[in-house]
Amino acid sequence: MVNNQVAFLGLGVMGAPMTVNLAHHNLSIKAWNRTNDRPWLENVTKSGATIVNSIREAVKSASIIFTCLGDIPDVEEVIFGDDGIVKYAPPHSIIVDFSTIGSQGARAIALKLKSHQIRFMDAPVSGGDIGAKNGTLTIMVGGDKQDFEEIKPYLEMVGKNITYCGEVGSGQAVKLCNQVLASLHMVALCEALQLAKTQKIDPNLIVDVCSTGAAGSWALTNLAPKIINQDYQPGFMIKHILKDLRLVKEVMENPDNYPGINLAQQLFNQVAQFDDAYLEGTQAMIKAYTDKNG
């Protein structure tokens, strides 16, 4: 049974459209963001969700609390900080965290929450801002199986492919593997487009032809056109993929055994040094190639 009272904390590029999709299912949502000057917050208000000024206002009557934040310190601050969730959330409420914080981070937070009688599910997502807007996200969930069944109806409001991966931290473990694939897809995409340029082939032809065959991918279909049009607006920022690759390396036994990951990290780091590129979308990796090759 769906509880009508929920909270959503973190109204960024992903969190805002996810909140909108939840609101469209007639939920009573109290939402909170650290800053209230983001242009997309107007869409959240128009959807019927109520943006409040404090975490306390958002969570005090919510049994389901969604968080969608940046990094481990952000999640820990929102949950355990001086004005955090644990001070105001009802006992036995459940936090569903859509952030990417790694399996170790998720397990540590879940363990700490036990003393506060609050449940925790890690539920990182994939699909970018496009998936968030369309409600077609892939969601990888870790935690208690019974808790998963409780939150699944909500996840179906924001996602299309929802998978229970196992105990707490398992969703994050799968997400880190997903980020490896996404990072290396971007390397392949950039190099294919550069090779097309070298051969004086229209890069749009690469998208049209290759996306229908064995080389097809989400990145080729959705991000190649942005690269071609020099559109580097973020659906997923370079700073976030660098954070995710840092988390990947934290669970590696031997980083030297992963040359592809090391290359992707090197290229993203290189582009992050360019003006404003740190806050651009991952498709801005192409700048590492154009900087070298023109």
Side-chain angles (χ1 to χ4, degrees):
M1 185 175 69
V2 172
N3 186 313
N4 197 44
Q5 296 285 334
V6 303
F8 202 110
L9 312 181
L11 305 175
V13 172
M14 299 292 288
M18 292 170 76
T19 303
V20 169
N21 285 331
L22 287 167
H24 286 164
H25 286 81
N26 298 317
L27 297 180
S28 176
I29 302 176
K30 290 186 178 178
W32 171 87
N33 199 50
R34 281 174 289 193
T35 54
N36 291 323
D37 60 349
R38 299 293 187 259
W40 55 78
L41 294 184
E42 183 178 351
N43 293 331
V44 176
T45 302
K46 286 181 178 179
S47 72
T50 301
I51 297 179
V52 298
N53 294 320
S54 68
I55 293 174
R56 177 182 179 277
E57 291 178 82
V59 308
K60 64 181 180 180
S61 59
S63 60
I64 307 288
I65 301 163
F66 297 105
T67 54
C68 189
L69 304 158
D71 203 344
I72 296 173
D74 304 306
V75 177
E76 290 178 334
E77 176 63 25
V78 165
I79 295 176
F80 301 111
D82 292 339
D83 194 39
I85 293 171
V86 295
K87 293 187 179 297
Y88 309 113
H92 311 296
S93 54
I94 180 168
I95 296 172
V96 182
D97 182 41
F98 292 125
S99 319
T100 300
I101 58 173
S103 48
Q104 294 175 340
R107 286 193 290 266
I109 288 172
L111 182 62
K112 193 172 178 180
L113 280 171
K114 283 187 177 181
S115 63
H116 296 277
Q117 294 184 302
I118 295 175
R119 295 171 289 165
F120 182 80
M121 301 288 289
D122 60 293
V125 300
S126 180
D129 61 328
I130 297 169
K133 291 172 184 175
N134 294 337
T136 57
L137 291 167
T138 291
I139 308 177
M140 300 146 267
V141 190
D144 181 82
K145 184 65 182 294
Q146 188 172 338
D147 291 342
F148 170 71
E149 296 299 334
E150 182 178 341
I151 67 169
K152 188 177 179 182
Y154 302 92
L155 301 182
E156 291 172 340
M157 298 175 190
V158 298
K160 184 177 181 181
N161 302 296
I162 299 152
T163 304
Y164 176 70
C165 301
E167 62 185 17
V168 168
S170 299
Q172 292 290 339
V174 175
K175 177 61 184 291
L176 293 185
C177 296
N178 181 88
Q179 296 309 79
V180 170
L181 290 166
S183 299
L184 293 178
H185 284 166
M186 188 55 63
V187 175
L189 176 56
C190 290
E191 297 196 357
L193 293 179
Q194 279 300 106
L195 187 61
K197 181 179 178 181
T198 298
Q199 299 179 98
K200 297 181 171 52
I201 293 291
D202 181 355
N204 290 291
L205 193 60
I206 306 306
V207 180
D208 294 341
V209 175
C210 297
S211 62
T212 65
S217 70
W218 185 94
L220 179 60
T221 301
N222 292 283
L223 298 181
K226 291 188 176 185
I227 292 175
I228 293 167
N229 294 320
Q230 298 183 353
D231 174 7
Y232 305 122
Q233 288 297 309
F236 188 70
M237 293 181 186
I238 283 180
K239 76 170 186 175
H240 291 143
I241 194 64
L242 283 171
K243 177 263 296 183
D244 292 352
L245 291 176
R246 185 200 81 218
L247 294 171
V248 167
K249 288 206 162 182
E250 287 177 2
V251 297
M252 286 180 178
E253 292 184 356
N254 187 348
D256 291 338
N257 289 340
Y258 299 87
I261 296 173
N262 291 328
L263 174 60
Q265 186 179 46
Q266 174 190 327
L267 291 168
F268 281 125
N269 270 318
Q270 181 180 335
V271 174
Q273 305 307 311
F274 300 164
D275 290 344
D276 299 323
Y278 188 61
L279 301 178
E280 291 180 331
T282 53
Q283 68 272 20
M285 179 192 275
I286 193 67
K287 293 183 178 182
Y289 291 88
T290 55
D291 183 56
K292 295 174 185 175
N293 304 318

